[in-house]
Amino acid sequence: MAAEEAAEASLVRLSPERRQPGREDGAEENPEGGGGGETAALNGVVVSGKVTSNNLDVKVTESELETEEKGTEEESTRESDSNILDVSSDYPREKHISIQRHLADLEKLADLKEDEKKPCPLCPEEKFKACYSHKLHRHLQNLHWKVSVQFEGYRMCICHLPCRPVKPNLVGDQTCSKMGAHYHCIICSATIMRRTDMIGHINRHVNKGETESRFITVPAPKSSREVLKESATDVQVLPNYSTPQKTDSYFNPKMKLNRQLIFCALAVLAEERKPIECLDAFGATGIMGLQWAKHLRSSVKVTINDCNENSVTMIQENCHLNKMKVKLNTKEDDNDEAMGDGGENTDTIEVTKMDANVIMHLRSFDFIHLDPFGTSVNYLDSAFRNVRNLGIVSLTSTDISSLYAKAQHVALRHYGCNIVRTEYYKELAARIVIAAVTRAAARCNKGIEVLLAVALEHFVLVVVRVLRGPSPADDSAKKIRDLIHCQWCEERIFQKEGNMVEENPYQQLPCDCHGSMPGKTAVVLGPLWSGALFNTGFLRRMLFEAVQYGLDEAQPLLKTLVCEAECTTLKHFSTHSPYDENKQEECGVYIKTPNTSAESYLVHGKRKSDEVIRNAAKRQKSENSAEHPAFYYNIHRHSIKGMNMPKLNKFLNYLSEAGYRVSRTHFDPMGVRTNAPLAQFKTILMKYSTPTYTGGQAEGPVHLAEDVQAGEQVPAAADGKAEDAEFLEDDKSGVAAAMFKKDYPTHCAAD
């Protein structure tokens, strides 16, 4: 009985996929290679020349058991010393016979001889009959070796042996013994049928750090983890850390600018009130929360959340790597626990393992950042449920395929917006996200003020301040409107307020493309956010924080955003400290700054006085008139064929001299944000463009009539047509006239 129990124990230690084609202890191998009853065993296990079935009725000598136990102890010792796949010289005895390093090793299993027929070691006899060496060599090379999967110098060849159970196909009274082709995993010995699935299976093992064989799952060794440093913060990352589908702890180095902008927004909020409770709802590696806690210290109480257990483990390790204390909280009942005084919790980060919607429903925060993989609309209701008054919610949307009008049906499904690809598609994406945020806040009786909206190549970032109450919610909801967009000339305008149906919506457009072009020329886009995208005072304070903390990559973008918010050029930009001004009033509430007196601000959460409300109304009326214009024009889109357009900076000066507000935009490097109508924009662009070939005309800009003077405000439509006619009369070479007729056929037809 003891011998039988020892035999069963030894078989349990053996890998279920282990094949022993050539045992060193003298056991004979059936030359038919898995065709008979003694060669085709369950999972391919052969012990002492006898097939094992269900690990029962096995005869093993005591000497062999001792040898197996010693070998197992030696293997476990080697595995504990190194987490890398350890391959010994007798590798075919430990792994399945379909896993080989060289083709010659696979041919040795067949024992090729020129004058004898040999069966294929990886195919049953009914699938491939025994043949001579030259034919068997081609069979092994073409049908097994070339379709193998490589991993660390080894090849997992396709196997046709009955290792994987396949249901027989009944055709009449006959049973077709169809053998399923499959692969044997070198790591976990799983059997997988498709080659592409096998490659993905191996990649998932590598991404999770599982490189041990025999069904052993080991976390990734520390030596295989790469340590990255960003903003004086170290984080450990797994292999393929920049591919979210292949790793649990996602870290994208290209999002460094995004993390710096969010940090600046949090730093500004930390100057208003201390301490603040902030949440990174999707921690991944925890890099963002670590930067908050490391630089802002006692001003913030950081909570990093992730629902993935591997990510939570990674966050804890990264906290210890940066010498931060960790408070682990994985129970929903303990979420309302106070962390204590700020002094006691310095350099302490709370790590939670919950769904993002759950933790935002259970707890209140001053600052919430949402950065899921894809869209953020599924988490907006939870974010605005318990966020505190005058708190900040920031969200990063990476579903740019839908926001940038590449997948319009997805944008309609997620955001409820109809969009098309336009020249201002990035700003359109930002306004789509803000509209979704506004609706989610209004459902919770909260309004918003947009502090920042950035749309770059990889993401769309929106930062809003929360205003509690039904009145701010109504005011914010009124700013969601539809947009009428002309597909011929790219003119656009928001629909008027009200719900009365207009007989001809085309009349709202400044252009006359509908009357001159056949068919329908305009589309209705939206609903979109029609309000401002930036808060100048908040952006200036963000720039001040970026300079203070040495965030070099965020400073140029913040300067562009300040100029874009004020609709001015860089040469008119003032770089003095924002705290020197006494204009730090946002949303009708004065913000506490270092150089302001105690009477100039109100504590958040208290009701505003009548005087502050009157000042806020006056400020909002004055700022609405100076609000930056919506959308922008691309200078390349409206350039004239056959003409060399002026440099962008010079063109900005020409528009400014004509009396219009103008600035560059971060949405498009060749975009111009201006309050000039499109007709006047094209007129000034044509005026200062030069022909690509002179043809007898003197070089220099094309001059219009003298009624276009610097500093004059030129009317948009009627005066533009008159100046265009005068321009055609003064054109001697005829080049500009031909280009003008091509771009403005209706004007020339009238002539």
Side-chain angles (χ1 to χ4, degrees), residues 58 105 128 175 226 291 338 406 449 465 491 497 499 612:
V58 182
D105 298 335
F128 186 81
T175 302
E226 183 180 357
Q291 291 176 356
K406 296 180 181 178
E449 183 196 14
R465 188 185 293 274
E491 184 64 277
E497 292 186 17
N499 53 3
V612 173

Side-chain angles (χ1 to χ4, degrees), residues 66 390 436 480:
E66 294 177 358
L390 298 182
I480 300 179

Side-chain angles (χ1 to χ4, degrees), residues 213-497:
S213 60
R214 303 177 200 91
F215 293 91
I216 297 178
T217 301
V218 181
K222 295 183 178 180
S223 58
S224 66
R225 295 182 182 178
E226 183 180 357
V227 178
L228 302 180
K229 189 171 185 178
E230 180 181 301
S231 301
T233 305
D234 299 326
V235 289
Q236 292 182 353
V237 294
L238 293 173
N240 294 326
Y241 56 85
S242 60
T243 307
Q245 295 91 344
K246 295 184 177 182
T247 181
D248 296 329
S249 299
Y250 177 57
F251 177 79
N252 190 359
K254 296 180 181 179
M255 300 291 283
K256 180 179 179 181
L257 179 60
N258 177 48
R259 287 186 284 269
Q260 290 186 357
L261 292 174
I262 297 169
F263 175 82
C264 293
L266 179 61
V268 172
L269 183 63
E271 292 293 332
E272 301 175 7
R273 43 179 136 162
K274 297 179 182 179
I276 58 175
E277 295 187 27
C278 50
L279 170 67
D280 183 9
F282 301 89
T285 59
I287 176 66
M288 191 173 297
L290 287 170
Q291 291 176 356
W292 299 348
K294 197 164 188 177
H295 295 285
L296 300 178
R297 302 236 171 231
S298 60
S299 300
V300 294
K301 296 179 179 179
V302 181
T303 301
I304 305 177
N305 176 73
D306 203 291
C307 61
N308 186 277
E309 186 174 357
N310 295 334
S311 298
V312 172
T313 304
M314 181 71 70
I315 293 171
Q316 297 180 49
E317 295 179 359
N318 288 331
C319 290
H320 295 309
L321 183 63
N322 291 273
K323 300 179 180 179
M324 297 282 182
K325 298 179 181 179
V326 180
K327 178 184 177 183
L328 183 61
N329 187 358
T330 59
K331 297 181 180 180
E332 299 178 1
D333 298 338
D334 299 332
N335 286 332
D336 295 334
E337 277 188 7
M339 293 180 60
D341 298 332
E344 297 178 1
N345 293 282
T346 303
D347 298 340
T348 300
I349 297 178
E350 183 178 4
V351 181
T352 59
K353 179 182 175 295
M354 275 182 276
D355 185 84
N357 286 321
V358 174
I359 188 173
M360 289 187 293
H361 269 286
L362 295 175
R363 297 178 54 181
S364 299
F365 295 96
D366 300 284
F367 185 92
I368 297 176
H369 176 63
L370 303 175
D371 187 9
F373 178 68
T375 180
S376 304
V377 294
N378 299 327
Y379 306 95
L380 293 179
D381 291 332
S382 302
F384 285 99
R385 176 182 174 87
N386 284 331
V387 62
R388 295 192 176 100
N389 189 27
L390 298 182
I392 290 179
V393 174
S394 66
L395 60 138
T396 302
S397 298
T398 55
D399 54 334
I400 56 176
S401 61
S402 60
L403 291 174
Y404 290 172
K406 296 180 181 178
Q408 302 175 11
H409 61 287
V410 181
L412 180 62
R413 184 170 70 247
H414 287 170
Y415 300 95
C417 294
N418 296 311
I419 57 174
V420 295
R421 185 79 170 191
T422 62
E423 63 172 331
Y424 50 92
Y425 66 94
K426 288 188 177 180
E427 183 172 345
L428 201 66
R431 294 184 180 274
I432 289 173
V433 176
I434 298 174
V437 171
T438 304
R439 289 191 292 267
R443 286 192 290 269
C444 298
N445 286 332
K446 294 182 177 68
I448 65 166
E449 183 196 14
V450 181
L451 305 176
L452 171 67
V454 175
L456 297 179
E457 181 182 1
H458 304 287
F459 64 91
V460 176
L461 172 65
V462 172
V463 181
V464 299
R465 188 185 293 274
V466 180
L467 309 176
R468 182 173 294 177
S471 296
D474 295 339
D475 296 338
S476 300
K478 290 178 182 178
K479 295 182 180 180
I480 300 179
R481 304 182 193 173
D482 290 330
L483 182 75
I484 303 177
H485 169 79
C486 179
Q487 293 184 302
W488 283 94
C489 64
E490 297 278 350
E491 184 64 277
R492 76 297 301 237
I493 188 171
F494 283 107
Q495 283 188 350
K496 299 178 181 178
E497 292 186 17

